[in-house]
Amino acid sequence: MKSALTYFNIENSDKYDANKRGINMTEGNFMTSSTRDRILADIRELELKKPEISDRIGEARLQGGLEENEELLMALEDMQRHEQEVNRHQERLIDIQLIPQLPLGKKKNVLVGTTVTILNTDTDQEFTYTILGVHDSDPANGIISMKSPMGLELLSREVSDEVEVNGTYYEILKIVAKKIK
């Protein structure tokens, strides 16, 4: 019995070939400087908690070995979770490329850092998205990742181009560069 395709692999799709549309999205980890600063602040905050956990481990070790020492086991688990969290944040900073602030105003093409207004051609409903990096993404506030299906489809397009995402067609109405927060 043949199985149905249950996912869409962007890396193996010709539609999203980076070179096809003159975009190289495969190199680097794009993010705004404010997102980088937020991640660094999170790491610093986590590092401030490490001595407390180390003290708990030391105090628990004075009460005996690992057998039946619930406090020691919990403190060791906390340290492990803490280290995983620090590593997760540090991995976000690998190969970062900061998204530059574009000169403000109308733009010819959709670039990372631009804000795009699109029209759903079926419902006449307008949407406005700012295209940023993966770690900047906040769809509830109109910020989408350049690597999301919509972000990938919009990159390098021009006003009045029509794009299709998940079977829905959109027309690009406006492309502008606004101040990146």
Side-chain angles (χ1 to χ4, degrees):
M1 178 181 200
K2 293 184 178 180
S3 63
L5 182 65
T6 58
Y7 67 95
F8 182 73
N9 188 344
I10 290 173
E11 285 81 25
N12 294 332
S13 171
D14 185 41
K15 180 176 181 179
Y16 296 111
D17 182 4
N19 297 322
K20 186 174 181 181
R21 295 194 350 235
I23 312 163
N24 187 352
M25 296 173 294
T26 58
E27 301 207 9
N29 177 12
F30 293 87
M31 69 177 62
T32 60
S33 59
S34 61
T35 296
R36 179 205 53 201
D37 294 346
R38 188 192 72 225
I39 293 170
L40 288 170
D42 288 347
I43 292 171
R44 282 191 298 276
E45 185 177 317
L46 285 167
E47 290 299 331
L48 292 174
K49 294 178 183 179
K50 189 172 184 175
E52 175 198 330
I53 299 171
S54 294
D55 289 345
R56 285 181 37 220
I57 291 171
E59 290 171 14
R61 282 199 172 141
L62 294 174
Q63 298 174 10
L66 280 174
E67 300 85 31
E68 298 182 27
N69 189 339
E70 192 67 29
E71 287 181 41
L72 179 58
L73 291 174
M74 288 177 58
L76 289 170
E77 286 177 13
D78 286 348
M79 181 62 83
Q80 183 179 18
R81 276 193 297 275
H82 176 272
E83 291 300 321
Q84 288 172 342
E85 186 75 8
V86 169
N87 289 337
R88 186 174 63 82
H89 284 304
Q90 288 173 337
E91 286 175 5
R92 290 178 173 178
L93 298 175
I94 294 174
D95 293 329
I96 65 168
Q97 291 186 21
L98 294 179
I99 298 170
Q101 174 64 57
L102 298 170
L104 305 181
K106 290 184 179 181
K107 298 295 171 200
K108 181 177 173 23
N109 298 87
V110 177
L111 304 168
V112 176
T114 56
T115 299
V116 184
T117 302
I118 58 175
L119 175 73
N120 180 320
T121 58
D122 293 332
T123 65
D124 287 335
Q125 188 175 7
E126 285 187 17
F127 301 93
T128 300
Y129 297 114
T130 300
I131 314 293
L132 295 175
V134 172
H135 302 296
D136 297 296
S137 182
D138 184 2
N141 289 311
I143 301 171
I144 62 172
S145 165
M146 61 189 269
K147 294 184 180 183
S148 68
M150 179 65 78
L152 284 168
E153 195 60 45
L154 289 172
L155 282 174
S156 82
R157 305 295 183 173
E158 298 178 3
V159 171
S160 59
D161 280 355
E162 192 171 276
V163 296
E164 179 267 327
V165 178
N166 297 328
T168 304
Y169 291 88
Y170 303 89
E171 180 185 349
I172 299 174
L173 301 177
K174 185 166 82 173
I175 306 166
V176 297
K178 296 180 178 180
K179 178 120 176 90
I180 297 175
K181 298 174 184 171

